[in-house]
Amino acid sequence: REHTDASISARLEVPGEMFELAMAAKMDGRGVVGSTSDILGFIRGKAQEAAQRVADGEGEQRVSVVLGTESGMISSIVDGVQGHLRDAGAAGEEVEVDIVFPVASEAVTAVDGGLGVVPGVPAGEGCSTAGGCATCPYMKMNDLDALVALAERVAENPEDDAVLRAHRPRQLAAEVAAQGAEPIMHMRSFMNEGQLPDALVADVHNRTLAEADLKESLQAWASGI
């Protein structure tokens, strides 16, 4: 209600309500749903349009975008937009870009002294359509040092490492693994080409996998767990 003139952007994994809003905005040409780079490209495009209006003599311009993503990604997006405006020269100086980060009150934790922080939903239970996906506790568990340490540990002797053995991926039936990888490959193709891949469109129109075949495949996979 407070940002009715704003464009709406969201990553694919955001909670349902935010996803629906962004998809509706996308259909109207004022939103985007995709990766962080897709969101950055969309905001850059809006900023460029505003800079062109400045160059055409329309005066100062303001662009407002609701950003539906995890808070850790905000800095990279803001830096990218600021750099783009600097590259636009004098026209870019007359463009104001407001990036609105929507956070429900349930996602803000009050601490002593009246300071409000945004840790995610109460108890840090990940995404919530009620509290918002302010800060993902699971994303914060991964950093470069941890990745390097894990790679070194795997390279040494993983078969003798009880901790690594406990986290060894389950072996999936080939058909189940293939079905799981298929949407990921379609998503990669969409991100690279900017349009739905022909194979996905054909699959939607001509899907031939019977429900019984899918059930049989899943049962085969489950029996191997």
Side-chain angles (χ1 to χ4, degrees):
R1 291 189 298 268
E2 298 177 5
H3 303 281
T4 56
D5 61 336
S7 298
I8 302 178
S9 64
R11 283 178 57 89
L12 293 166
E13 70 274 17
V14 299
E17 290 90 338
M18 188 69 201
F19 183 85
E20 291 176 4
L21 287 172
M23 282 299 296
K26 180 179 180 181
M27 298 298 291
D28 290 338
R30 57 181 189 87
V32 62
V33 175
S35 65
T36 301
S37 62
D38 293 327
I39 293 174
L40 177 57
F42 174 80
I43 300 176
R44 280 179 171 175
K46 291 296 183 182
Q48 185 173 354
E49 293 173 3
Q52 184 59 52
R53 291 194 294 272
V54 172
D56 292 340
E58 297 184 26
E60 295 181 356
Q61 299 291 314
R62 181 179 180 182
V63 176
S64 182
V65 181
V66 174
L67 185 62
T69 186
E70 204 269 346
S71 61
M73 301 178 185
I74 294 176
S75 295
S76 61
I77 292 176
V78 170
D79 288 344
V81 173
Q82 288 178 336
H84 185 71
L85 291 177
R86 284 193 296 269
D87 293 341
E93 296 177 0
E94 301 298 319
V95 177
E96 178 180 339
V97 178
D98 294 336
I99 297 181
V100 182
F101 182 51
V103 181
S105 59
E106 292 86 347
V108 179
T109 296
V111 296
D112 294 339
L115 177 67
V117 296
V118 184
V121 296
E125 295 299 330
C127 292
S128 164
T129 55
C133 196
T135 298
C136 177
Y138 306 108
M139 292 181 69
K140 298 298 182 291
M141 295 169 66
N142 300 310
D143 58 34
L144 186 57
D145 290 339
L147 179 61
V148 171
L150 176 60
E152 292 174 346
R153 192 166 180 170
V154 170
E156 290 175 359
N157 195 350
E159 295 302 324
D160 293 338
D161 192 319
V163 174
L164 290 181
R165 288 202 309 271
H167 292 280
R168 179 178 295 170
R170 292 175 296 180
Q171 297 297 312
L172 303 179
E175 59 269 29
V176 174
Q179 290 170 15
E182 188 171 354
I184 297 174
M185 299 306 296
H186 287 326
M187 183 175 68
R188 288 185 59 188
S189 177
F190 176 73
M191 295 303 161
N192 291 332
E193 305 296 334
Q195 62 183 17
L196 294 177
D198 293 339
L200 174 59
V201 175
D203 186 28
V204 171
H205 285 290
N206 306 303
R207 184 176 293 273
T208 57
L209 180 62
E211 182 178 348
D213 295 334
L214 177 59
K215 183 177 181 180
E216 182 178 346
S217 297
L218 293 176
Q219 287 177 337
W221 167 68
S223 64
I225 297 178

